């Protein structure tokens, strides 16, 4: 995956897009937490990417614990009114049944960065945010493993959206977790390569720190990611 630093003008061009009208999801920064009802728990997690690495003849479950602060987990969502960026790091790896494989070099801290800036809108008839670009791979990011292997991620449309953020149509949350939830799906490595159980599944808490539009795109440390240059054959 190749990212390049964009100019301030490029970032400003993204920032002046008309904001999504939404009464529920405030512009700002959200701390992301594990979802209590992930189907592969324990350990609890906020992101699952099965077969991220093929480490056995079976279906390999890879999950990432957003709340393991002792091991450096810290994941945030930035919403600037136009785009959603999820970035940070989380402890995780191959779940071998109640724990991450202690002998694996793939157990450790993973860093990731994903931005939705195409198709962000308010859900029809509700006040959640959804991402519906109508095609797979319109939004993208990457995850980097403890061994420094970086794998591209692309959003995957299932049903009417590739990502949703809110408390669902009935206001009761997703999978019985009240409050703000985030869920959505990925292709791994290339558009079209969808592996079963590749998805966000987290809860969220508003931190209360405003995030002006350039900050939401810049994120922590002032990194200005304006766009992604894709390799072509």
């Amino acid at each position: 995956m190749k990212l390049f630093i964009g100019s301030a003008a490029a970032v400003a061009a993204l920032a002046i897009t008309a904001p999504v009208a939404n009464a529920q999801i405030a512009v700002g920064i959200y701390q992301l937490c594990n979802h209590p009802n992930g189907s592969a728990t324990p350990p609890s997690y906020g992101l699952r990417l099965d077969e991220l690495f093929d480490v056995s003849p079976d279906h390999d479950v890879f999950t990432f614990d957003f709340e393991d602060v002792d091991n450096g987990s810290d994941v945030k969502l930035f919403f600037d009114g136009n785009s959603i960026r999820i970035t940070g790091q989380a402890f995780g790896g191959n779940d071998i049944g109640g724990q991450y494989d202690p002998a694996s070099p793939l157990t450790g801290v993973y860093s990731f960065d994903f931005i939705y800036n195409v198709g962000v809108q308010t859900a029809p008839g509700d006040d959640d945010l959804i991402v519906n670009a109508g095609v797979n791979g319109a939004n993208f990011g990457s995850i980097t493993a403890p061994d420094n292997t970086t794998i591209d991620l692309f959003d995957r449309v299932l049903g009417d959206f590739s990502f949703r953020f809110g408390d669902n149509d009935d206001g009761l949350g997703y999978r019985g977790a009240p409050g703000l939830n985030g869920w959505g799906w990925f292709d791994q490595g290339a558009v079209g390569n969808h592996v079963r159980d590749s998805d966000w599944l987290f809860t969220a808490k508003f931190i209360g720190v405003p995030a002006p539009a350039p900050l939401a795109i810049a994120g922590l440390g002032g990194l200005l990611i304006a766009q992604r240059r894709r390799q072509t054959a």
Side-chain angles (χ1 to χ4, degrees), residues 151-189:
I151 297 172
D152 287 349
L153 300 174
F154 304 88
D155 64 335
R156 175 79 175 189
V157 179
L158 290 179
D160 296 329
F161 57 89
S162 64
F163 177 71
R164 184 164 182 148
F165 186 51
D167 60 7
N168 220 341
D169 293 328
D170 56 11
L172 299 178
Y174 183 60
R175 292 191 184 179
L180 294 177
N181 291 235
W183 67 102
W185 305 276
F186 297 106
D187 287 346
Q188 298 184 31

Side-chain angles (χ1 to χ4, degrees), residues 42-112:
S44 297
Y45 58 89
L47 171 65
R48 180 174 174 178
L49 294 171
D50 286 8
E51 291 291 332
L52 184 67
F53 295 94
D54 187 11
V55 297
S56 78
D58 299 322
H59 184 86
D60 299 309
V61 176
F62 277 77
T63 65
F64 308 91
D65 185 345
F66 283 11
E67 297 182 38
D68 190 348
V69 294
D70 290 340
N71 281 309
S73 294
D74 183 14
V75 186
K76 291 183 172 65
L77 180 149
F78 296 82
F79 176 56
D80 67 0
N82 307 306
S83 62
I84 298 167
R85 184 182 180 193
I86 301 171
T87 186
Q89 59 185 31
F91 186 80
N94 181 25
D95 180 355
I96 59 173
Q99 66 173 337
Y100 299 119
D101 185 352
S104 173
L106 295 173
T107 296
V109 176
Y110 289 70
S111 60
F112 44 87

